Every structure is written in structure tokens, then in C-alpha cells.
Amino acid sequence: MMTTGSRFRLSTKETISGYLFITPSMILFFVFILIPFFYSFYLSLHKWQGGKIGNMAYAGFSQYSKALQSPEFWHSIVTTGYYTFTTVILQIVFGLILAILLNQKMIGRTFLRTAYFVPVVMSTIVVGIIWRWIFSPDKIGLLNSFLGFFHIQPIHWLTDPYWSMPAIIIMSTWKWVGYHMVIFLAGLQDIPQELYESASIEGANGWQKFRYITLPMLTKTTWFLVITSIINSFQVFDQIYVMTGGGPLDATNVIVYYIYKWAFQFYDMGYASAVAWLLFLVIFVITLLQLRFTRSDWHA
Amino acid sequence: MKNKLKWLVIGSMVLPSLLLSGCGGGAKPAANKEANGGANSNGGEVQNITVWEMYGPRRDFPKIIEEFNKTHPNIKVKDEYFPSHDALLQKVQVISSSNQKKPDAILYDMINVPITKELLPLEDLNTFIKNDSSFDINDFYPAFKDFGNLDGKQYSLHGYANNIVLFYNKKAFKEAGLDPEKPPQTWDELVEDAKKLTKDGQWGLQIDGITEKYFELLSWDFQSLVEENGGEIWNKDYTKPAFNSPQGVEALQFLVDLVNKHKVTTLNPPEKVFETGKAAMYITGTWMTKDYEDSLGKENLGAAFLPKKVQYATNIGGEEWMMVKSNDKEEQATWEFLKYMMSKDVQLQISKFGYIPTRKSVVNSPEYQAWIKEHPAYEVGAKQMEYGKYRAPITTYLQNSQALYKYVQQALYGKITPKEALDTAEKEVTDILATKK
């Protein structure tokens, strides 16, 4: 809200009611986000002494150096990077293709848009259990019996260290592509029709219109999706928890699952908090870099 | 506007207090009130007790509790079920560091008893056993009372037991020309039969630890193999790992060979591999007996001792009851409940799911004898008990098990040799024991 000029200044009464309106959400924010946020930093400076989870001693930054020296930690970073890089590209490419297709005038457009969006609102746990069956390694698995039509041997999706991550990526792409589609659709509808009309008059073909009008006009939308989906992908957990449990052979042991294991299977909250803060730093730096690189584009 | 503002003020004052009361501090008075309970129809006071459980034969638990509440009008049991031992231990960990009311009784994997004893104030059950003539502790098989007996106190008692057996599909045996009444008894016979049973669409032998995500399964399957081969997992007082022996390496090599050399076991089994007849033999715990009987049919389900190399061996499991300290009245009510849960009637009921009774009087009862005569697959686990071994009763058991699981799995996938796997696992277990004394 603008506060320049006395005409816009709020009366005291309105100020009070304004604060009252935000009180409930601020309390929730403090209790469930801000306090745990700083408390986890406090925990990350401590070392678990065994027994009760609260049984900790001050350990300075030793938990951080323990993480940085742990091959398992670096492995989980690499795994997360693999997941993020692949998923983000696939989600954006397929989301864009779907959006362009469903932006055409066609019968059943609303139904299809809804259908593609349904997985987004479904619980990941439910979706994960369904996909476990789809990925069943024998010929009874839906995906394998489909591949069987093309004479492809059954793939051991979730139990083969080589295939388990691609399986998770396929499932995540399927689940989130609808979200990307909807955002792209909004972006597409913001592009003025005049641009296409004048391009047609100039004699541009379909590809040229896409390359020189649609894509540049979607830059903002695309960057928004890239940033948010990188942040989301870095925090992937539910799928892994339901479908592979980080295995086989740690092939899907992503960073958040690694944190979960240390916090809730080994009960070492100090170490888990330290790794969580390292994850926070990584995401923070990535976001800063992205903002820096994209700012100039936005004003172009 | 004024009216709205008034409601806002009230709302914003009430909401935070509601929120805060939800987070710990305020919950205490409510819990106490509940524990003191109200009056029942007989005029006596009703004692409420809370039970946290990971009860194996899940399907029967509500019925059993209902029956208890009906026959004990002065006690009301509130049942809180957890989907896994892991999840229950998490909750125990959290509540141990909070001021909230603790549960009165806990039931889960026996292996969690030592750590639970560290976390919660557990009552010595001997104080009740001594004064209660209706409960005979000597009716329990020695092994089942010894495990919960730490530093001279009885912290827990076995509600029911289980162990690992070899299930097999009699129909598959007949089809392969094998005698369905003669399951393999040695490792060599196991491999030989498994080879004959392996064909397109059917695996000769599967092992639950390979399929399941829960680390403990593969770890305890492996521990049994080492013991079948005459090896030990620990030294006498559990201060040093002993699995990295020639016997241990040979046992792991055997497991790896089943997959890579004999090709009778797959690392990629389809879902429900034994129930759907895609595995002819399956090594897992007796708790699956009822499920397998339902899906394969009583006439097709066979069970046998785990095949031996040097000796018969199996890993004993089962859930143990523990009582958390509270006040006299509440503890007395909890004791009544525990007594009921370990009674002959309830144990008989549980045994029909494949669990093994822990009391001699149950095993020797005509009802149980008639049941196993009718359903021979249920008897194998009980008979095998005498060859059973216990997992280490130490607080760091689960961490050690995780380490073992990790390297056994790497060996199974051929990333490292069995010798390398056990060398690394031994080093890690030694570290765990050193840092968390």
C-alpha cells in the first residue's frame, strides 16, 4: 500500500484492525517457521551424546565440517543435482508443449486442462504408491507391459540403482507438468494477438512466430518456473520416501532424505540441522545467481 | 464496523491461546483430567490408560481391546497404533524430551527395549509379578523372560514371538518333480532345489530383506546365515562385532552366489512375489503365515526350518510389552491390561496369525495342539525356537544394523566383495560402539 500523501495515511483504528488481521498468520509463521528456523541453527552447533534426542553438547561448527568431509553428503548433493537438472528441464519442456497444444481452440480443451492438472493436487504419497505398481519390475508392471509392445525387455525400475532415479524423475515430471502447463497457459494468454497478426502480414511462418514472438514473450514466465522448480526439486522427499527409501545403494539418497535419515532414524538432530543449513545456503546462492542473471533480461 | 472490530479483538485473543495450548504446555492439565477419568455405571472410578503399539496381528486388536474394556468396566484403554517400529520409536524419542503425559504401556519390536529403557522411566514388572498369584512368570519360556531382564529388573515381557522360516509353495514343488513333504534342509539342498524350481516367470528362492526397504530385515536375514554357518555376530558381552570371520564371509558369499552364480534369486522381484506364485520358496518371518495361507491356500503352503550349513539357526523376533511409570492406580490398571494381553486366550488368538505363543501352558493346551495339527505350517516356527538366537540387547543395535545392511547390500549388488563389505561394516560398527557408549 502507498503511504505518500496524507490522503492515503491510515487512521489509527484501521492500523489496529490491519494488525489484528495479520496476527493469526504471524503467530503461525513465528511458531512453525521462524522459531524452528533459528532453533535449527542453534541445534546445528551441537553434537548428540546418545540416548535422548535432547542430550546434546556444544560442538561449534564441527558438524558442518563433518558434513563437508562426508562422502555420503557429497553423494547426496550429486544425486539431488541429477534429479533437479533433469526434472526441471523435462517439466519445463513438456509443460510448454502441453500449454501450446491446449491453447489452441479444440474440443475437450477444458477437460484436458483439468485432467493434466489433477496429479498436481493429488497427494504425493497416494501417487507414489500407484507408481510403485506401475513400475513393478516384472511384465505385470503397467509401464513394462507397455514397453513390451515395442519389444523392450522389462526394466527393473525401482530396484536397479541405474534406473531408480529415472523412475523417480518420470513420476515427478508426470506429477508436476500440469502446474507448469497452467503457468505457461497464463503466460501465453498475456501475449498480445497483434504481434502474431502483424507477423503473419510480414509473412512469418509458424516456427518463426514461435521462435521470435512466443518464446521471448514467455521469458519472464520461464524464469519464474525455473527458479521455483529448482527450489522445489532441491527439496524432493515424499516420492523418495514412498517409492525407494533412498535406495537401492543410495542411488536416490537425495539431500532431504539424507537429512531425514540422520534426524529421524539416527536421531542426530545436530548433524541433520547442520546439513539442512548447508542445503539452505546452496538454495540461497542459486536463487541469488538466478536473480542476478535474469534481471537484465526482464527489463529488455 | 465496530461490531466486527469487537469480534476481531476477541478472535485474535482467543486464537493464540488456542494455538499455544496445542503446543505442549497447555496439554498437561487436559491429559491429567483424562487420566483421573470419570465415574462408570457401577459407581466406581474409571481409570483411563493409553497404549502405544505396533501390534503384529493388527486385524484382531480392536476386537481384543473391546473385549477387555467390556470385561474390565473400571479400566478404559485408549489404543494408539503406529504403522512401523521406526515410527513408534520416533514418537518415544520425542516424548522422552517433552513434558507431555507419557503412554502407560508400549508394545513394539523387542530390539527397542534397551533404548526405550534409556529414554523413558520403565517400571520393573517384578513388583507386580511378585504380588500377583494369578500370573505365573515361570509359565514363560526362559528365553522370553530373560531378554527383558536387564540389571536384575524385568523391564519387558514378550507378548508373542516370531522367527524366520523357509516358506515354500507345494504346488511349485510338485510341478518341478520335487517331493512337497521334503523341503531342503541344508544349504546345498536349498541351492539344488532352487535351481530346479527356477524357470521363466518363477524364481526358486526369494528373501524378504532383499525386497523390503526396512533395513532391519536384510540385516537379520544375514545374521541368521552367519549363525547357520557356525559363526557369531558379537563377542560374548556385545562389546565387539564378531561377524567378520571366515564363517561370516562365507555366509555373505553364499547370499551373493544365490543371486549372481546360481541365479535362483533376483534383486528385482515383482510386488508380492510369493503370494502370486512367482517365487517357489521365500525366507521371511512367521508373521506372514496367515497372509500366505490366504493367498496360496492351506494345501499349498509349506514351512520349514531355515536350511543349515553347520547347524540350524534362526533369528528370534516378536514384540515386548513395557510399562511406563505413573501413579499406583494407573500402573495397577496397566498391569491388568498387560496380564490380559499375555493371557492364554489372547495368545491363542494371536497364534492363528502365525505368531508363536510365549507361554508353555498355551503351547501345551489342547486348543493349540489341535490348531497346529490342522495347520502344520504354523508349527514350524514354534519348533524352531530352540535353535533361535537373539539379536544384541544393546542401545545402539539399530545403528549397527543399518551399517550391516548398507554393506551387505553393496556386496549383493556386486559393488564390493563380501570380504570388503564385512571389513568396512566391522570398522563402522566398532566406531558406533566407541562413540555412543
Side-chain angles (χ1 to χ4, degrees):
Chain A
M1 171 147 319
M2 300 279 283
T3 49
T4 46
S6 59
R7 222 154 55 87
F8 293 101
R9 196 166 292 149
L10 294 164
S11 72
T12 322
K13 210 159 129 196
E14 278 172 327
T15 312
I16 292 175
S17 61
Y19 279 119
L20 286 177
F21 268 118
I22 62 167
T23 308
S25 71
M26 283 315 284
I27 289 170
L28 289 173
F29 177 72
F30 267 87
V31 171
F32 290 108
I33 296 178
L34 212 59
I35 297 173
F37 182 78
F38 286 109
Y39 190 62
S40 78
F41 182 69
Y42 168 80
L43 283 180
S44 75
L45 302 177
H46 290 71
K47 193 175 180 328
W48 184 49
Q49 306 285 297
K52 293 188 184 183
I53 25 174
N55 185 13
M56 297 210 234
Y58 181 74
F61 283 89
S62 65
Q63 300 282 32
Y64 289 89
S65 56
K66 181 182 162 192
L68 295 174
Q69 284 162 14
S70 155
E72 235 182 294
F73 168 77
W74 289 108
H75 173 78
S76 74
I77 293 273
V78 171
T79 315
T80 315
Y82 171 28
Y83 172 83
T84 305
F85 185 73
T86 323
T87 330
V88 170
I89 290 181
L90 286 177
Q91 283 176 351
I92 288 196
V93 169
F94 282 107
L96 182 59
I97 293 174
L98 278 180
I100 290 172
L101 288 178
L102 292 178
N103 202 30
Q104 316 294 319
K105 287 200 175 64
M106 57 194 268
I107 305 161
R109 187 170 71 165
T110 319
F111 169 77
L112 283 173
R113 282 180 187 173
T114 316
Y116 282 111
F117 196 73
V118 165
V120 178
V121 290
M122 275 165 79
S123 143
T124 315
I125 304 292
V126 174
V127 170
I129 292 168
I130 297 171
W131 276 85
R132 269 183 72 138
W133 283 88
I134 294 177
F135 282 134
S136 190
D138 215 344
K139 282 171 195 145
I140 56 164
L142 210 56
L143 192 54
N144 276 335
S145 48
F146 172 71
L147 294 176
F149 289 127
F150 307 100
H151 300 285
I152 296 172
Q153 285 301 307
I155 293 169
H156 305 136
W157 290 103
L158 295 174
T159 44
D160 186 325
Y162 181 79
W163 283 107
S164 57
M165 190 47 107
I168 299 276
I169 290 169
I170 290 173
M171 181 268 191
S172 301
T173 308
W174 172 84
K175 185 166 187 327
W176 287 107
V177 76
Y179 171 77
H180 289 71
M181 175 197 77
V182 166
I183 305 284
F184 271 130
L185 268 175
L188 283 173
Q189 279 159 12
D190 268 356
I191 303 175
Q193 282 302 313
E194 294 82 11
L195 294 177
Y196 292 108
E197 280 164 21
S198 55
S200 300
I201 294 166
E202 304 274 345
N205 62 25
W207 167 251
Q208 285 168 328
K209 276 191 248 176
F210 173 75
R211 172 68 189 81
Y212 295 104
I213 300 174
T214 314
L215 272 190
M217 294 299 285
L218 284 177
T219 311
K220 246 179 167 176
T221 317
T222 313
W223 274 114
F224 167 76
L225 284 173
V226 167
I227 293 172
T228 50
S229 59
I230 284 184
I231 293 172
N232 282 331
S233 302
F234 250 91
Q235 301 176 38
V236 58
F237 174 76
D238 320 24
Q239 293 95 308
I240 310 273
Y241 180 78
V242 183
M243 291 168 72
T244 62
L249 289 185
D250 287 342
T252 56
N253 192 10
V254 290
I255 183 97
V256 180
Y257 195 81
Y258 181 70
I259 294 171
Y260 165 80
K261 251 171 64 174
W262 277 93
F264 297 105
Q265 287 190 341
F266 305 151
Y267 302 107
D268 194 338
M269 293 292 166
Y271 183 70
S273 299
V275 177
W277 271 84
L278 289 173
L279 170 65
F280 168 73
L281 284 181
V282 171
I283 293 180
F284 192 68
V285 169
I286 290 177
T287 314
L288 281 185
L289 285 176
Q290 281 171 334
L291 285 176
R292 165 130 299 190
F293 285 130
T294 53
R295 192 161 295 147
S296 55
D297 289 1
W298 287 20
H299 293 288
Chain B
M1 177 66 207
K2 229 177 193 170
N3 217 0
K4 272 184 198 158
L5 198 67
K6 194 176 86 190
W7 282 111
L8 259 176
V9 173
I10 294 171
S12 60
M13 280 157 77
V14 169
L15 200 82
S17 62
L18 275 179
L19 274 172
L20 287 175
S21 69
C23 315
K28 220 178 161 188
N32 279 342
K33 200 175 154 199
E34 193 180 276
N36 292 332
N40 74 347
S41 52
N42 301 341
E45 282 237 322
V46 174
Q47 180 65 53
N48 286 303
I49 57 173
T50 310
V51 178
W52 285 5
E53 43 92 14
M54 197 303 191
Y55 190 72
R58 178 69 201 142
R59 286 161 288 195
D60 260 23
F61 203 66
K63 254 196 282 172
I64 294 173
I65 296 254
E66 200 183 309
E67 187 63 30
F68 177 81
N69 283 335
K70 224 185 277 167
T71 50
H72 297 74
N74 292 327
I75 304 170
K76 194 164 182 309
V77 176
K78 192 176 154 225
D79 166 35
E80 289 181 20
Y81 171 70
F82 289 77
S84 70
H85 299 296
D86 248 15
L88 214 171
L89 182 58
Q90 279 168 21
K91 198 72 196 292
V92 167
Q93 273 283 6
V94 171
I95 202 152
S96 75
S97 306
S98 102
N99 296 325
Q100 277 181 48
K101 174 92 180 77
K102 316 273 188 283
D104 292 292
I106 301 177
L107 172 91
Y108 58 164
D109 191 351
M110 54 189 285
I111 209 59
N112 291 338
V113 172
I115 180 79
T116 310
K117 187 192 129 230
E118 299 279 304
L119 297 174
L120 295 176
L122 293 186
E123 186 56 89
D124 178 8
L125 295 176
N126 272 332
T127 51
F128 295 94
I129 295 167
K130 267 187 222 146
N131 302 324
D132 194 334
S133 57
S134 67
F135 187 84
D136 182 12
I137 181 80
N138 293 319
D139 189 28
F140 279 75
Y141 286 100
F144 294 129
K145 54 179 196 202
D146 291 351
F147 188 84
N149 199 322
L150 302 161
D151 345 313
K153 287 180 178 160
Q154 194 75 41
Y155 286 110
S156 64
L157 275 173
H158 239 95
Y160 47 85
N162 56 51
N163 57 44
I164 325 176
V165 295
L166 173 75
F167 287 106
Y168 63 97
N169 188 333
K170 289 187 179 172
K171 201 170 129 216
F173 265 57
K174 277 180 224 154
E175 282 168 8
L178 294 165
D179 183 350
E181 300 312 319
K182 279 207 183 114
Q185 291 186 2
T186 63
W187 284 11
D188 292 340
E189 286 174 24
L190 182 70
V191 171
E192 206 179 297
D193 288 357
K195 278 183 179 163
K196 285 181 194 154
L197 289 160
T198 304
K199 58 181 187 189
D200 192 32
Q202 178 178 300
W203 294 94
L205 170 70
Q206 274 308 130
I207 298 167
D208 63 354
I210 294 179
T211 330
E212 295 295 327
K213 284 184 299 176
Y214 185 39
F215 59 89
E216 176 58 7
L217 286 172
L218 185 58
S219 166
W220 88 323
D221 286 336
F222 170 70
Q223 293 177 36
S224 295
L225 280 173
V226 176
E227 282 153 354
E228 285 157 32
N229 200 20
E232 296 284 340
I233 307 299
W234 300 92
N235 67 350
K236 277 250 151 48
D237 52 358
Y238 303 109
T239 49
K240 251 198 212 150
F243 52 76
N244 191 11
S245 58
Q247 291 96 325
V249 175
E250 198 187 356
L252 185 51
Q253 187 65 53
F254 177 69
L255 189 64
V256 172
D257 283 350
L258 287 175
V259 176
N260 295 329
K261 193 170 142 203
H262 308 306
K263 300 196 191 305
V264 293
T265 305
T266 173
L267 295 177
N268 310 291
E271 302 269 340
K272 308 267 174 210
V273 65
F274 189 64
E275 289 93 323
T276 53
K278 291 192 163 64
M281 295 188 278
Y282 200 73
I283 290 179
T284 190
T286 52
W287 62 82
M288 292 306 291
T289 316
K290 172 91 171 99
D291 292 86
Y292 292 163
E293 197 181 62
D294 287 348
S295 45
L296 293 180
K298 199 177 100 180
E299 66 288 354
N300 288 330
L301 178 66
F305 284 7
L306 288 182
K308 63 177 175 182
K309 174 77 178 176
V310 176
Q311 61 190 15
Y312 284 123
T314 187
N315 232 326
I316 298 174
E319 273 74 84
E320 299 228 357
W321 283 108
M322 283 157 260
M323 187 198 293
V324 182
K325 280 185 180 164
S326 54
N327 58 56
D328 287 352
K329 222 177 135 249
E330 209 170 322
E331 285 190 11
Q332 192 57 48
T334 310
W335 173 245
E336 288 299 324
F337 174 69
L338 295 193
K339 220 165 67 173
Y340 170 82
M341 289 309 293
M342 291 183 279
S343 67
K344 194 174 150 187
D345 287 351
V346 172
Q347 286 214 349
L348 266 176
Q349 209 168 335
I350 297 171
S351 65
K352 296 184 179 168
F353 291 96
Y355 289 89
I356 301 162
T358 54
R359 303 177 70 150
K360 296 171 203 165
S361 62
V362 178
V363 172
N364 296 329
S365 69
E367 295 100 313
Y368 184 73
Q369 290 300 327
W371 167 259
I372 53 177
K373 209 172 161 196
E374 190 73 8
H375 303 79
Y378 289 76
E379 194 190 5
V380 175
K383 271 191 173 165
Q384 200 184 208
M385 279 308 300
E386 65 173 297
Y387 303 105
K389 305 264 186 195
Y390 279 109
R391 290 165 286 168
I394 51 176
T395 53
T396 54
Y397 177 81
L398 289 177
Q399 280 105 307
N400 294 320
S401 176
Q402 285 250 13
L404 207 49
Y405 163 78
K406 193 159 86 189
Y407 298 110
V408 167
Q409 203 192 27
Q410 289 189 7
L412 266 176
Y413 276 91
K415 301 280 170 197
I416 47 178
T417 67
K419 179 70 188 141
E420 284 164 357
L422 295 189
D423 282 346
T424 335
E426 184 186 32
K427 197 176 149 288
E428 202 160 309
V429 168
T430 311
D431 285 351
I432 292 168
L433 291 175
T435 50
K436 307 247 170 71
K437 249 190 192 136

